[in-house]
Amino acid sequence: MKKNKPSALVQALGSGLAGAVAVNLLHETVRHLRPADAPRMDVLGERGLRKLLGKADAPQPDEESAYYLTLAGDLLSNGLYYSLVGRGKGAWWRGVALGAAAGVGGVVLPGPMGLGEAPSNRTPQTKTMTVAWYLVGGVVAAGVSRWWSKSHKSKKRKPKRHKA
């Protein structure tokens, strides 16, 4: 087994988590700054959580618990999703493609899934921000992955020592 295999997995997961944190920071910050048209993916997440718990006949959490469970779920699911960026030179393109796909999905899928459309679809600005935030997440994941690769390569190189 090659020694760099575990570091590839750690790199992918770490990069994915960085992308997920970026998306959540954007969502949380902008929803407080622009409450009229900011995407409310937290609302979609809570609706999804409540829907799943209802189908399982499980008890419903209070609002605060639902919010934190949804936030944790967002970080986990988005982190795993963005970890698909992987590593290597193609990471930038994969980050852009994954981010754009997640953003478009965030606008298009909630309605058909029975979660409502307003949280990500109520105004043209809301739709644009939804796509943009997920795109930023993909780019952040790719950037962290590329930085990680370059950092790892520089650690492998050892300076040559010259005898005097």
Side-chain angles (χ1 to χ4, degrees), residues 20-21 23-32 39-50 53 59-78:
V21 168
V23 168
N24 278 290
L25 282 173
L26 278 167
H27 280 302
E28 289 300 305
T29 301
V30 176
R31 82 178 176 95
H32 291 291
R40 293 299 308 268
M41 303 317 272
D42 58 312
V43 171
L44 288 175
E46 287 181 37
R47 288 177 184 173
L49 173 66
R50 292 188 184 286
L53 292 174
Q60 293 289 329
D62 60 67
E63 280 194 43
E64 184 178 5
S65 296
Y67 170 79
Y68 286 113
L69 285 169
T70 300
L71 184 61
D74 282 346
L75 288 171
L76 177 64
S77 61
N78 287 334

Side-chain angles (χ1 to χ4, degrees), residues 9 16 31 37 51 57 80 87 99 116 118 121 161:
L9 178 62
R31 82 178 176 95
D37 61 359
K51 192 173 185 178
D57 290 325
L80 289 172
R87 63 188 206 178
N121 214 346
R161 294 186 182 184

Side-chain angles (χ1 to χ4, degrees), residues 3 16 19 35 58 72 84 93 96 115 117 126 128 135 143 149 152 163:
K3 191 176 180 180
L84 296 173
W93 292 111
V96 168
L115 301 175
E117 295 181 3
T126 307
T128 301
L135 183 60
S149 290
H152 192 298
K163 293 183 179 179

